[in-house]
Amino acid sequence: MADQNKAIRAVKGMNDILPPESARWEWFEDKVRALMHRYGYANIRTPIVEPTPLFVRGLGEVTDIVEKEMYSFVDSMNGDPLTLRPENTAGVVRAVAEHSLLYDGGKRVYYMGPMFRHERPQRGRYRQFHQIGAEALGFAGPDVDAELILMCRSLWRDIGLTDVRLELNSLGQPQERRAHREALVAYFEKHRDALDADAQRRLHTNPLRILDTKNPAMQELVEGAPKLLEYLGEESLVHFDAVRRVLEANGVEYRINPRLVRGMDYYNLTVFEWVTDRLGSQGTVCGGGRYDYLIEQIGGKPAPAVGWALGVERVLELLKELGVEPDVPVPAAYAIVPSSEALAPAMTTVEALRAAGVSVLMHAAGRDGPGSMKSQFKRADASSARYALIFGESELAQGLVAIKPLRKGGGDQRTRPLADVARWAAELLTA
């Protein structure tokens, strides 16, 4: 019996988001929705649980995500291997291929929601985390690459995020990558004794990931490795130059980072990251790139694609670090109901105000009744409402409600008729 009464807590690394913190999330999500509308991106919603082969095929069997981090299980009902999604690009591509969304041309879509990876929780990084992403599928040109980068820049401006910088690179095409990979393996083979255990494990399976090592002892070795840009052909360079020209024409500062790579074969051409130094080692705020070969790899008809994803927790953490505080919505009015007799007319009036677009927080009675007027006014003030609506005995006898300003700029206390709410409701919407 003791175990039955033991407190049940959230899974480690999976956090509740409570008021008022949840208001920050809603504010950010509203900014994203407005941004996506301006750019013409439509919302797509895919399942949280996907077939495990989707990620094994889409991310690669030798990636850390597939090898160590996925929450995978077998469905006890039918034996299907399933996985909580560790990212959402693969799910979006699966949905696009399954439903033939590109039959009439390219599509621009965005998503937001929880992802899951079994890793050590740390600042801005959790086992259930949230991503927002934008994907443009069916478009091959560099203009869409640049559009997605400019979209990120617009989002940073919209939310007041500063102290992030853009890093840019090109991965070229598979044949160019293969030539670079061979040179890379040969280079690291000559310096095998200097490689740490992770690098030695990746040398012949995923050597590009060695370039992304965080081991300080390997930095000088990595800096001397062959650069992928040196192996790009003319078409790849033309594509990269076109992206750069658009960014420069729009005043976007960037740094070419030859170590910015992706370990998966389906990535090609443009890759980019928005990074910061304010979140310790977890400096990437948003990452993206072109993945022209993923749709075919997952089983759809070949089609080009490019996209990005950002970590919501990291962005909100960075905004806190920078002192950016979004406006938290507060009710326009707080309804003070001093007696049970006032309840029916008060609720009728409050419902009419809400129907007119006015946010009203109504006092809720306790077990011992509605409480004193003094205690109700304290709650009204604590709610940050601009006005108190007082349904007192004398006001109700005259068919009126008293409106008392609780903040500066609300004018003088006045009364208004209960029978004509629509005429005066707009008063409560003005500060």
Side-chain angles (χ1 to χ4, degrees):
M1 291 294 293
D3 287 342
Q4 291 181 350
N5 296 325
K6 185 178 180 181
I8 298 176
R9 300 185 179 276
V11 177
K12 182 179 181 180
M14 301 185 183
N15 303 319
D16 301 308
I17 302 167
L18 310 174
E21 177 65 17
S22 56
R24 295 171 59 87
W25 285 67
E26 291 184 312
W27 167 84
F28 181 46
E29 290 163 357
D30 287 345
K31 293 288 188 182
V32 170
R33 290 187 183 98
L35 173 84
M36 296 299 173
H37 178 72
R38 295 202 307 269
Y39 277 78
Y41 282 64
N43 184 234
I44 186 170
R45 304 185 184 209
T46 60
I48 289 174
V49 178
E50 295 273 13
T52 299
L54 172 66
F55 302 112
V56 174
R57 195 187 307 178
L59 299 176
E61 293 186 51
V62 295
T63 58
D64 284 347
I65 296 174
V66 172
E67 288 183 332
K68 304 175 183 178
E69 299 172 1
M70 293 201 315
Y71 283 95
S72 297
F73 58 97
V74 174
D75 188 335
S76 61
M77 301 295 288
N78 55 23
D80 290 343
L82 302 175
T83 293
L84 295 177
R85 63 187 185 192
E87 56 88 46
N88 206 32
T89 298
V92 169
V93 169
R94 191 266 314 145
V96 167
E98 181 176 340
H99 301 286
S100 302
L101 288 187
L102 304 183
Y103 77 97
D104 60 347
K107 296 291 185 294
R108 291 172 165 94
V109 298
Y110 78 94
Y111 61 83
M112 54 178 70
M115 313 294 158
F116 303 86
R117 296 185 191 177
H118 192 280
E119 54 187 350
R120 183 172 61 86
Q122 51 192 294
R123 186 182 184 189
R125 192 167 186 168
Y126 306 101
R127 291 176 177 175
Q128 176 176 309
F129 60 101
H130 297 76
Q131 283 189 344
I132 291 171
E135 314 285 357
L137 306 108
F139 306 99
D143 51 344
V144 181
D145 302 26
E147 174 184 86
L148 283 159
I149 295 172
L150 292 170
M151 179 195 288
C152 291
R153 198 262 302 264
S154 294
L155 179 59
W156 309 149
R157 288 177 171 176
D158 290 350
I159 64 176
L161 181 59
T162 59
D163 205 17
V164 291
R165 62 184 184 276
L166 175 64
E167 296 191 346
L168 195 65
N169 196 19
S170 175
L171 301 181
Q173 296 292 1
Q175 66 274 18
E176 296 158 354
R177 294 251 296 280
R178 281 194 291 271
H180 173 251
R181 185 184 187 280
E182 291 172 4
L184 207 58
V185 171
Y187 171 79
F188 285 126
E189 282 281 14
K190 291 180 181 178
H191 302 86
R192 194 180 187 97
D193 292 344
L195 301 180
D196 61 19
D198 272 347
Q200 291 195 23
R201 179 174 58 86
R202 290 169 168 161
L203 180 55
H204 291 284
T205 58
N206 206 346
L208 278 177
R209 297 305 298 167
I210 300 176
L211 300 179
D212 199 31
T213 180
K214 302 298 188 291
N215 185 345
M218 289 181 53
Q219 296 307 308
E220 185 177 349
L221 178 64
V222 167
E223 287 295 334
K227 306 292 191 294
L228 179 54
L229 285 173
E230 299 167 357
Y231 292 80
L232 299 190
E234 183 178 356
E235 287 188 11
S236 296
L237 291 172
V238 167
H239 187 104
F240 192 42
D241 289 343
V243 174
R244 294 172 60 188
R245 282 198 303 273
V246 173
L247 298 180
E248 290 163 7
N250 283 273
V252 178
E253 296 182 0
Y254 64 87
R255 179 177 78 92
I256 295 178
N257 179 2
R259 293 175 57 184
L260 179 54
V261 296
R262 297 286 186 266
M264 285 73 83
D265 290 340
Y266 57 76
Y267 277 102
N268 66 309
L269 298 174
T270 312
V271 288
F272 60 91
E273 288 185 357
W274 292 88
V275 298
T276 181
D277 295 321
R278 287 183 172 266
L279 296 178
S281 62
Q282 305 303 320
T284 301
V285 177
C286 174
R290 180 162 283 281
Y291 51 94
D292 290 343
Y293 303 99
L294 180 58
I295 297 179
E296 182 179 11
Q297 190 168 315
I298 284 179
K301 294 181 179 180
V306 59
W308 57 253
L310 63 81
V312 176
E313 285 87 349
R314 291 189 194 181
V315 171
L316 294 179
E317 185 73 24
L318 188 52
L319 288 174
K320 284 184 181 179
E321 185 83 12
L322 295 169
V324 177
E325 288 297 331
D327 293 330
V328 175
V330 297
Y334 187 101
I336 290 178
V337 187
S339 67
S340 58
E341 291 76 20
L343 182 59
M347 292 199 74
T348 301
T349 305
V350 165
E351 283 299 290
L353 287 169
R354 290 167 176 161
V358 181
S359 60
V360 184
L361 180 61
M362 188 162 177
H363 180 76
R367 291 179 178 176
D368 299 325
S372 68
M373 291 280 280
K374 181 178 180 181
S375 66
Q376 290 193 44
F377 268 111
K378 282 186 178 180
R379 290 184 177 275
D381 190 57
S383 75
S384 298
R386 293 190 295 272
Y387 301 96
L389 304 177
I390 308 168
F391 295 89
E393 183 179 351
S394 60
E395 288 86 4
L396 291 178
Q398 304 173 69
L400 302 172
V401 59
I403 302 175
K404 178 181 176 61
L406 299 175
R407 309 283 177 256
K408 290 182 179 179
D412 299 324
Q413 181 168 327
R414 62 267 193 190
T415 57
R416 292 292 183 265
L418 298 176
D420 198 9
V421 172
R423 185 171 60 82
W424 54 266
E427 292 180 28
L428 304 183
L429 297 175
T430 58

